[in-house]
Amino acid sequence: MAELGVIAIGRNEGERLVRCLTSLQCHDLPVVYVDSASTDGSQTRAKELGAHVLPLDMDRPFTAARARAEGFAELMRIAPDLQFVMFVDGDCEIVSSWPSAAMAFLIENTDYAAVCGRRKERFPEASAYNALIDQEWDTPIGEAAACGGDAVFRISAYQAVGGFDPAMIAGEEPELCARLRGADWRIMRLDEAMTVHDAALERYGQYWNRAVRSGLGYMQANLATKTAPGGPLYGREIIRAVCWALLLPLASFALAWIFHPIMLLLWPALTGAQWLRLMARDGVFAATLSMTGKFAELLGIARFQLRRLRGQTGGTVEYK
């Protein structure tokens, strides 16, 4: 374990951050906590729990990717001989067996750059949104195209491809993993308990902002991986959002203008049919969020393209 260091990132995570850092204390690892202008005393609590605290300079737009990238640089400054680095979000508690399981895998499998495990939601029963997110974490086991925000990386591989891109608004992990795969590295998802996440989603507005953030990430990651092995990321997600939330309504209005007002029913009819299909598979609540979420994703896509046209980079969308 002396070869492993940890980078935790957060902003106003409160007791979630305390749980995160407390779960690391038994491993006696060097921990860098990167704070994005918290106002809840997170920096003080992190220092009390033994973490090396790195406050982000807020004169520049902050993103999770920037926090991870600067956290890594700080970890290398204080512990330059490490061979592995574990990234974790500040709203996650580390399962005690995970660091050793991840280390064992990477030591035994030298062609793998990163390894992740199973993430579970802490309170899936607290809200229907939390329950859906818990299902979202149930990803296939085995060799993977990408990991999430919680993962252990081989430092030599991470450095060889340049690490996290600080400009990424969202989707920074798949974008990094695309570069790793392009350099012939592999990524593994183990059937091992890794982290317990606390989404704390209780309102539709939070879900909407999360979906807007996803749309931003889809578009940016897609453009950043145009030449990646297997093609650019999130192409299907972008097409679905554009078709359901933009092209279908426009087509319905255009046909009504050209032919007959009854064509205005085309949009609600097709949307209703898709909702019924999703409802039969996933239930009423999930189907409704899936369809309304396409509009939020489209908004995120449009926001990113507008920022791009203006030459703006960075920034993020908060949903907690």
Side-chain angles (χ1 to χ4, degrees):
M1 298 296 285
E3 299 175 329
L4 177 67
V6 181
I7 297 163
I9 66 171
R11 175 179 169 87
N12 291 328
E13 295 294 351
E15 288 304 313
R16 293 185 291 269
L17 177 64
V18 172
R19 280 196 297 265
C20 174
L21 298 179
T22 301
S23 70
L24 291 165
Q25 288 184 316
C26 63
H27 299 291
D28 193 26
L29 301 171
V31 177
V32 172
Y33 167 62
V34 186
D35 186 82
S36 298
S38 291
T39 57
D40 65 348
S42 287
Q43 294 186 35
T44 300
R45 298 297 297 277
K47 289 177 183 177
E48 293 171 349
L49 291 167
H52 179 92
V53 176
L54 176 66
L56 283 186
D57 180 356
M58 300 307 292
D59 288 340
R60 292 189 291 129
F62 73 91
T63 64
R66 179 189 162 205
R68 293 189 177 106
E70 293 191 18
F72 178 80
E74 185 68 6
L75 182 65
M76 290 296 92
R77 187 186 70 80
I78 65 175
D81 297 327
L82 297 175
Q83 296 187 40
F84 306 98
V85 57
M86 177 165 61
F87 293 95
V88 61
D89 293 338
D91 56 4
C92 291
E93 179 181 359
I94 303 291
V95 175
S96 61
S97 59
W98 170 244
S100 57
M103 287 275 289
F105 177 84
L106 289 176
I107 289 171
E108 294 171 8
N109 299 273
T110 57
D111 53 338
Y112 282 83
V115 60
C116 54
R118 288 199 174 276
R119 178 192 259 196
K120 296 291 291 181
E121 201 58 37
R122 179 174 296 279
F123 301 115
E125 73 289 346
S127 73
Y129 304 104
N130 282 6
L132 283 177
I133 291 174
D134 191 50
Q135 295 174 22
E136 185 180 311
W137 303 145
D138 188 16
T139 48
I141 298 303
E143 186 160 353
C147 59
D150 307 334
V152 177
F153 286 80
R154 190 183 305 276
I155 287 178
S156 59
Y158 177 91
Q159 291 177 318
V161 300
F164 282 109
D165 179 352
M168 292 296 294
I169 298 169
E172 65 274 8
E173 304 95 345
E175 189 275 331
L176 170 58
C177 289
R179 282 186 276 126
L180 286 167
R181 288 185 287 106
D184 296 325
W185 289 99
R186 303 164 74 183
I187 295 98
M188 175 61 74
R189 181 173 288 107
L190 300 176
D191 190 12
E192 295 275 351
M194 178 180 63
T195 51
V196 181
H197 179 257
D198 189 355
L201 287 188
E202 300 173 353
R203 304 181 306 277
Y204 181 76
Q206 293 174 300
Y207 175 83
W208 174 271
N209 288 335
R210 187 174 186 263
V212 170
R213 181 179 180 273
S214 294
L216 279 160
Y218 292 160
M219 196 69 245
Q220 188 177 27
N222 181 267
L223 292 173
T225 56
K226 285 293 187 184
T227 60
L233 295 171
Y234 299 121
R236 290 182 179 179
E237 289 81 355
I238 293 169
I239 290 172
R240 287 170 184 161
V242 171
C243 286
W244 285 107
L246 179 63
L247 296 184
L248 180 57
L250 288 179
S252 185
F253 281 106
L255 291 172
W257 176 268
I258 296 170
F259 297 108
H260 193 280
I262 198 172
M263 297 304 293
L264 286 171
L265 297 177
L266 179 65
W267 175 26
L270 292 178
T271 300
Q274 175 70 352
W275 181 84
L276 288 171
R277 187 184 73 83
L278 295 175
M279 182 194 68
R281 188 187 68 186
D282 304 323
V284 172
F285 189 76
T288 302
L289 290 185
S290 177
M291 296 306 296
T292 60
K294 296 295 184 289
F295 292 90
E297 291 169 4
L298 179 67
L299 178 59
I301 292 168
R303 281 188 185 178
F304 175 77
Q305 293 289 37
L306 184 59
R307 289 182 183 182
R308 184 172 171 232
L309 289 173
R310 291 174 174 173
Q312 297 173 340
T313 59
T316 188
V317 177
E318 295 186 62
Y319 59 88
K320 286 189 180 179

mmCIF file of all heavy atoms in Angstrom, residues 190-221:
data_model
loop_
_atom_site.group_PDB
_atom_site.id
_atom_site.type_symbol
_atom_site.label_atom_id
_atom_site.label_comp_id
_atom_site.label_asym_id
_atom_site.label_seq_id
_atom_site.Cartn_x
_atom_site.Cartn_y
_atom_site.Cartn_z
ATOM 1 N N LEU A 190 -13.863 -4.732 -11.878
ATOM 2 C CA LEU A 190 -13.901 -5.947 -11.076
ATOM 3 C C LEU A 190 -15.238 -6.107 -10.366
ATOM 4 O O LEU A 190 -15.911 -5.119 -10.064
ATOM 5 C CB LEU A 190 -12.778 -5.919 -10.026
ATOM 6 C CG LEU A 190 -11.334 -5.829 -10.534
ATOM 7 C CD1 LEU A 190 -10.384 -5.705 -9.343
ATOM 8 C CD2 LEU A 190 -10.983 -7.059 -11.374
ATOM 9 N N ASP A 191 -15.573 -7.336 -10.080
ATOM 10 C CA ASP A 191 -16.771 -7.628 -9.287
ATOM 11 C C ASP A 191 -16.408 -7.521 -7.812
ATOM 12 O O ASP A 191 -16.469 -8.491 -7.055
ATOM 13 C CB ASP A 191 -17.305 -9.012 -9.629
ATOM 14 C CG ASP A 191 -18.682 -9.261 -9.023
ATOM 15 O OD1 ASP A 191 -19.298 -8.293 -8.545
ATOM 16 O OD2 ASP A 191 -19.134 -10.428 -9.043
ATOM 17 N N GLU A 192 -15.989 -6.327 -7.420
ATOM 18 C CA GLU A 192 -15.563 -6.045 -6.048
ATOM 19 C C GLU A 192 -16.259 -4.783 -5.573
ATOM 20 O O GLU A 192 -16.352 -3.793 -6.308
ATOM 21 C CB GLU A 192 -14.046 -5.818 -5.977
ATOM 22 C CG GLU A 192 -13.181 -7.014 -6.308
ATOM 23 C CD GLU A 192 -12.969 -7.911 -5.089
ATOM 24 O OE1 GLU A 192 -13.360 -7.495 -3.976
ATOM 25 O OE2 GLU A 192 -12.397 -9.005 -5.267
ATOM 26 N N ALA A 193 -16.741 -4.793 -4.336
ATOM 27 C CA ALA A 193 -17.323 -3.576 -3.760
ATOM 28 C C ALA A 193 -16.241 -2.506 -3.692
ATOM 29 O O ALA A 193 -15.136 -2.749 -3.196
ATOM 30 C CB ALA A 193 -17.881 -3.866 -2.377
ATOM 31 N N MET A 194 -16.548 -1.322 -4.183
ATOM 32 C CA MET A 194 -15.546 -0.255 -4.280
ATOM 33 C C MET A 194 -15.910 0.943 -3.410
ATOM 34 O O MET A 194 -15.160 1.307 -2.495
ATOM 35 C CB MET A 194 -15.391 0.166 -5.740
ATOM 36 C CG MET A 194 -14.426 1.305 -5.991
ATOM 37 S SD MET A 194 -14.301 1.764 -7.749
ATOM 38 C CE MET A 194 -15.984 2.327 -8.094
ATOM 39 N N THR A 195 -17.046 1.568 -3.708
ATOM 40 C CA THR A 195 -17.443 2.771 -2.976
ATOM 41 C C THR A 195 -18.945 2.777 -2.723
ATOM 42 O O THR A 195 -19.718 2.133 -3.429
ATOM 43 C CB THR A 195 -17.075 4.052 -3.752
ATOM 44 O OG1 THR A 195 -17.574 3.963 -5.088
ATOM 45 C CG2 THR A 195 -15.577 4.268 -3.780
ATOM 46 N N VAL A 196 -19.325 3.545 -1.699
ATOM 47 C CA VAL A 196 -20.736 3.800 -1.399
ATOM 48 C C VAL A 196 -20.972 5.283 -1.642
ATOM 49 O O VAL A 196 -20.366 6.133 -0.991
ATOM 50 C CB VAL A 196 -21.081 3.422 0.058
ATOM 51 C CG1 VAL A 196 -22.561 3.673 0.323
ATOM 52 C CG2 VAL A 196 -20.728 1.962 0.332
ATOM 53 N N HIS A 197 -21.843 5.575 -2.587
ATOM 54 C CA HIS A 197 -22.059 6.936 -3.059
ATOM 55 C C HIS A 197 -23.308 7.528 -2.423
ATOM 56 O O HIS A 197 -24.270 6.821 -2.145
ATOM 57 C CB HIS A 197 -22.216 6.904 -4.587
ATOM 58 C CG HIS A 197 -22.468 8.227 -5.223
ATOM 59 N ND1 HIS A 197 -23.710 8.620 -5.658
ATOM 60 C CD2 HIS A 197 -21.626 9.260 -5.504
ATOM 61 C CE1 HIS A 197 -23.633 9.817 -6.193
ATOM 62 N NE2 HIS A 197 -22.383 10.241 -6.112
ATOM 63 N N ASP A 198 -23.282 8.831 -2.194
ATOM 64 C CA ASP A 198 -24.441 9.522 -1.619
ATOM 65 C C ASP A 198 -24.875 10.613 -2.593
ATOM 66 O O ASP A 198 -24.396 11.738 -2.551
ATOM 67 C CB ASP A 198 -24.073 10.123 -0.259
ATOM 68 C CG ASP A 198 -25.293 10.653 0.484
ATOM 69 O OD1 ASP A 198 -26.395 10.639 -0.099
ATOM 70 O OD2 ASP A 198 -25.130 11.085 1.638
ATOM 71 N N ALA A 199 -25.803 10.264 -3.478
ATOM 72 C CA ALA A 199 -26.236 11.212 -4.515
ATOM 73 C C ALA A 199 -26.998 12.384 -3.925
ATOM 74 O O ALA A 199 -26.888 13.508 -4.408
ATOM 75 C CB ALA A 199 -27.111 10.498 -5.545
ATOM 76 N N ALA A 200 -27.806 12.117 -2.902
ATOM 77 C CA ALA A 200 -28.601 13.165 -2.242
ATOM 78 C C ALA A 200 -29.483 13.923 -3.230
ATOM 79 O O ALA A 200 -29.622 15.147 -3.146
ATOM 80 C CB ALA A 200 -27.688 14.129 -1.486
ATOM 81 N N LEU A 201 -30.089 13.203 -4.164
ATOM 82 C CA LEU A 201 -31.026 13.815 -5.106
ATOM 83 C C LEU A 201 -32.448 13.655 -4.573
ATOM 84 O O LEU A 201 -32.936 12.533 -4.429
ATOM 85 C CB LEU A 201 -30.916 13.171 -6.486
ATOM 86 C CG LEU A 201 -29.686 13.501 -7.328
ATOM 87 C CD1 LEU A 201 -29.852 12.942 -8.722
ATOM 88 C CD2 LEU A 201 -29.421 14.984 -7.389
ATOM 89 N N GLU A 202 -33.095 14.765 -4.314
ATOM 90 C CA GLU A 202 -34.430 14.723 -3.729
ATOM 91 C C GLU A 202 -35.463 15.494 -4.533
ATOM 92 O O GLU A 202 -36.666 15.367 -4.289
ATOM 93 C CB GLU A 202 -34.381 15.308 -2.308
ATOM 94 C CG GLU A 202 -33.436 14.555 -1.381
ATOM 95 C CD GLU A 202 -33.267 15.252 -0.043
ATOM 96 O OE1 GLU A 202 -33.777 16.385 0.095
ATOM 97 O OE2 GLU A 202 -32.633 14.662 0.846
ATOM 98 N N ARG A 203 -35.000 16.311 -5.506
ATOM 99 C CA ARG A 203 -35.910 17.174 -6.262
ATOM 100 C C ARG A 203 -35.676 17.023 -7.756
ATOM 101 O O ARG A 203 -34.562 16.719 -8.200
ATOM 102 C CB ARG A 203 -35.720 18.647 -5.872
ATOM 103 C CG ARG A 203 -35.890 18.922 -4.382
ATOM 104 C CD ARG A 203 -35.713 20.401 -4.073
ATOM 105 N NE ARG A 203 -34.469 20.944 -4.575
ATOM 106 C CZ ARG A 203 -33.299 20.849 -3.945
ATOM 107 N NH1 ARG A 203 -33.226 20.204 -2.787
ATOM 108 N NH2 ARG A 203 -32.205 21.393 -4.462
ATOM 109 N N TYR A 204 -36.741 17.275 -8.514
ATOM 110 C CA TYR A 204 -36.621 17.168 -9.964
ATOM 111 C C TYR A 204 -35.606 18.172 -10.509
ATOM 112 O O TYR A 204 -34.884 17.870 -11.468
ATOM 113 C CB TYR A 204 -37.977 17.396 -10.647
ATOM 114 C CG TYR A 204 -37.880 17.276 -12.157
ATOM 115 C CD1 TYR A 204 -37.781 16.029 -12.756
ATOM 116 C CD2 TYR A 204 -37.850 18.414 -12.966
ATOM 117 C CE1 TYR A 204 -37.656 15.916 -14.132
ATOM 118 C CE2 TYR A 204 -37.730 18.311 -14.333
ATOM 119 C CZ TYR A 204 -37.640 17.056 -14.915
ATOM 120 O OH TYR A 204 -37.513 16.941 -16.277
ATOM 121 N N GLY A 205 -35.530 19.351 -9.907
ATOM 122 C CA GLY A 205 -34.580 20.344 -10.373
ATOM 123 C C GLY A 205 -33.148 19.842 -10.327
ATOM 124 O O GLY A 205 -32.341 20.166 -11.207
ATOM 125 N N GLN A 206 -32.825 19.059 -9.302
ATOM 126 C CA GLN A 206 -31.487 18.481 -9.221
ATOM 127 C C GLN A 206 -31.252 17.492 -10.358
ATOM 128 O O GLN A 206 -30.176 17.479 -10.967
ATOM 129 C CB GLN A 206 -31.313 17.766 -7.878
ATOM 130 C CG GLN A 206 -31.299 18.685 -6.672
ATOM 131 C CD GLN A 206 -31.267 17.895 -5.379
ATOM 132 O OE1 GLN A 206 -32.166 17.098 -5.101
ATOM 133 N NE2 GLN A 206 -30.245 18.109 -4.587
ATOM 134 N N TYR A 207 -32.266 16.667 -10.638
ATOM 135 C CA TYR A 207 -32.147 15.712 -11.736
ATOM 136 C C TYR A 207 -31.976 16.443 -13.066
ATOM 137 O O TYR A 207 -31.159 16.060 -13.909
ATOM 138 C CB TYR A 207 -33.375 14.805 -11.799
ATOM 139 C CG TYR A 207 -33.358 13.871 -12.982
ATOM 140 C CD1 TYR A 207 -32.660 12.667 -12.929
ATOM 141 C CD2 TYR A 207 -34.010 14.219 -14.172
ATOM 142 C CE1 TYR A 207 -32.615 11.827 -14.031
ATOM 143 C CE2 TYR A 207 -33.962 13.385 -15.272
ATOM 144 C CZ TYR A 207 -33.271 12.192 -15.197
ATOM 145 O OH TYR A 207 -33.217 11.367 -16.292
ATOM 146 N N TRP A 208 -32.754 17.520 -13.260
ATOM 147 C CA TRP A 208 -32.672 18.291 -14.496
ATOM 148 C C TRP A 208 -31.268 18.845 -14.692
ATOM 149 O O TRP A 208 -30.677 18.730 -15.781
ATOM 150 C CB TRP A 208 -33.697 19.427 -14.461
ATOM 151 C CG TRP A 208 -33.616 20.366 -15.621
ATOM 152 C CD1 TRP A 208 -32.847 21.487 -15.721
ATOM 153 C CD2 TRP A 208 -34.315 20.257 -16.868
ATOM 154 N NE1 TRP A 208 -33.033 22.092 -16.939
ATOM 155 C CE2 TRP A 208 -33.926 21.359 -17.662
ATOM 156 C CE3 TRP A 208 -35.242 19.344 -17.373
ATOM 157 C CZ2 TRP A 208 -34.427 21.564 -18.946
ATOM 158 C CZ3 TRP A 208 -35.747 19.553 -18.660
ATOM 159 C CH2 TRP A 208 -35.335 20.643 -19.420
ATOM 160 N N ASN A 209 -30.690 19.455 -13.660
ATOM 161 C CA ASN A 209 -29.346 20.018 -13.777
ATOM 162 C C ASN A 209 -28.307 18.937 -14.035
ATOM 163 O O ASN A 209 -27.329 19.166 -14.771
ATOM 164 C CB ASN A 209 -28.989 20.794 -12.513
ATOM 165 C CG ASN A 209 -29.745 22.102 -12.402
ATOM 166 O OD1 ASN A 209 -30.171 22.668 -13.403
ATOM 167 N ND2 ASN A 209 -29.931 22.585 -11.187
ATOM 168 N N ARG A 210 -28.514 17.776 -13.432
ATOM 169 C CA ARG A 210 -27.599 16.655 -13.683
ATOM 170 C C ARG A 210 -27.653 16.245 -15.153
ATOM 171 O O ARG A 210 -26.621 15.926 -15.761
ATOM 172 C CB ARG A 210 -27.964 15.476 -12.776
ATOM 173 C CG ARG A 210 -26.987 14.305 -12.815
ATOM 174 C CD ARG A 210 -27.383 13.287 -11.760
ATOM 175 N NE ARG A 210 -26.404 12.212 -11.645
ATOM 176 C CZ ARG A 210 -26.530 11.029 -12.248
ATOM 177 N NH1 ARG A 210 -27.595 10.777 -13.002
ATOM 178 N NH2 ARG A 210 -25.605 10.095 -12.096
ATOM 179 N N ALA A 211 -28.856 16.244 -15.732
ATOM 180 C CA ALA A 211 -29.008 15.894 -17.141
ATOM 181 C C ALA A 211 -28.412 16.969 -18.046
ATOM 182 O O ALA A 211 -27.828 16.658 -19.098
ATOM 183 C CB ALA A 211 -30.478 15.662 -17.473
ATOM 184 N N VAL A 212 -28.543 18.251 -17.665
ATOM 185 C CA VAL A 212 -27.912 19.330 -18.427
ATOM 186 C C VAL A 212 -26.400 19.128 -18.436
ATOM 187 O O VAL A 212 -25.738 19.254 -19.478
ATOM 188 C CB VAL A 212 -28.269 20.702 -17.827
ATOM 189 C CG1 VAL A 212 -27.420 21.809 -18.469
ATOM 190 C CG2 VAL A 212 -29.752 21.002 -18.021
ATOM 191 N N ARG A 213 -25.864 18.803 -17.272
ATOM 192 C CA ARG A 213 -24.420 18.553 -17.171
ATOM 193 C C ARG A 213 -24.012 17.379 -18.058
ATOM 194 O O ARG A 213 -22.967 17.409 -18.712
ATOM 195 C CB ARG A 213 -24.059 18.278 -15.711
ATOM 196 C CG ARG A 213 -22.576 18.031 -15.461
ATOM 197 C CD ARG A 213 -22.337 17.803 -13.971
ATOM 198 N NE ARG A 213 -20.935 17.574 -13.680
ATOM 199 C CZ ARG A 213 -20.344 16.382 -13.723
ATOM 200 N NH1 ARG A 213 -21.057 15.312 -14.052
ATOM 201 N NH2 ARG A 213 -19.062 16.252 -13.449
ATOM 202 N N SER A 214 -24.845 16.350 -18.104
ATOM 203 C CA SER A 214 -24.552 15.206 -18.967
ATOM 204 C C SER A 214 -24.488 15.634 -20.427
ATOM 205 O O SER A 214 -23.593 15.216 -21.174
ATOM 206 C CB SER A 214 -25.614 14.119 -18.790
ATOM 207 O OG SER A 214 -25.567 13.563 -17.495
ATOM 208 N N GLY A 215 -25.443 16.476 -20.857
ATOM 209 C CA GLY A 215 -25.430 16.946 -22.235
ATOM 210 C C GLY A 215 -24.170 17.721 -22.579
ATOM 211 O O GLY A 215 -23.581 17.537 -23.660
ATOM 212 N N LEU A 216 -23.731 18.580 -21.668
ATOM 213 C CA LEU A 216 -22.465 19.292 -21.860
ATOM 214 C C LEU A 216 -21.314 18.307 -22.034
ATOM 215 O O LEU A 216 -20.486 18.436 -22.940
ATOM 216 C CB LEU A 216 -22.193 20.190 -20.651
ATOM 217 C CG LEU A 216 -22.897 21.534 -20.586
ATOM 218 C CD1 LEU A 216 -22.915 22.061 -19.156
ATOM 219 C CD2 LEU A 216 -22.207 22.538 -21.491
ATOM 220 N N GLY A 217 -21.282 17.310 -21.146
ATOM 221 C CA GLY A 217 -20.212 16.330 -21.201
ATOM 222 C C GLY A 217 -20.254 15.482 -22.461
ATOM 223 O O GLY A 217 -19.207 15.175 -23.047
ATOM 224 N N TYR A 218 -21.466 15.088 -22.879
ATOM 225 C CA TYR A 218 -21.592 14.302 -24.107
ATOM 226 C C TYR A 218 -20.942 15.014 -25.286
ATOM 227 O O TYR A 218 -20.158 14.427 -26.039
ATOM 228 C CB TYR A 218 -23.064 14.066 -24.445
ATOM 229 C CG TYR A 218 -23.825 13.159 -23.506
ATOM 230 C CD1 TYR A 218 -25.218 13.207 -23.462
ATOM 231 C CD2 TYR A 218 -23.168 12.253 -22.671
ATOM 232 C CE1 TYR A 218 -25.936 12.383 -22.609
ATOM 233 C CE2 TYR A 218 -23.877 11.432 -21.824
ATOM 234 C CZ TYR A 218 -25.267 11.500 -21.783
ATOM 235 O OH TYR A 218 -25.986 10.692 -20.943
ATOM 236 N N MET A 219 -21.295 16.297 -25.451
ATOM 237 C CA MET A 219 -20.826 17.033 -26.623
ATOM 238 C C MET A 219 -19.327 17.263 -26.572
ATOM 239 O O MET A 219 -18.620 17.083 -27.568
ATOM 240 C CB MET A 219 -21.560 18.372 -26.699
ATOM 241 C CG MET A 219 -21.455 19.056 -28.059
ATOM 242 S SD MET A 219 -22.357 18.170 -29.339
ATOM 243 C CE MET A 219 -21.014 17.654 -30.404
ATOM 244 N N GLN A 220 -18.821 17.647 -25.409
ATOM 245 C CA GLN A 220 -17.389 17.923 -25.300
ATOM 246 C C GLN A 220 -16.565 16.654 -25.481
ATOM 247 O O GLN A 220 -15.563 16.648 -26.201
ATOM 248 C CB GLN A 220 -17.067 18.562 -23.950
ATOM 249 C CG GLN A 220 -15.624 19.048 -23.857
ATOM 250 C CD GLN A 220 -15.337 19.750 -22.555
ATOM 251 O OE1 GLN A 220 -15.973 19.482 -21.536
ATOM 252 N NE2 GLN A 220 -14.368 20.654 -22.567
ATOM 253 N N ALA A 221 -16.994 15.559 -24.839
ATOM 254 C CA ALA A 221 -16.263 14.303 -24.976
ATOM 255 C C ALA A 221 -16.338 13.776 -26.403
ATOM 256 O O ALA A 221 -15.377 13.192 -26.919
ATOM 257 C CB ALA A 221 -16.818 13.270 -23.998
#
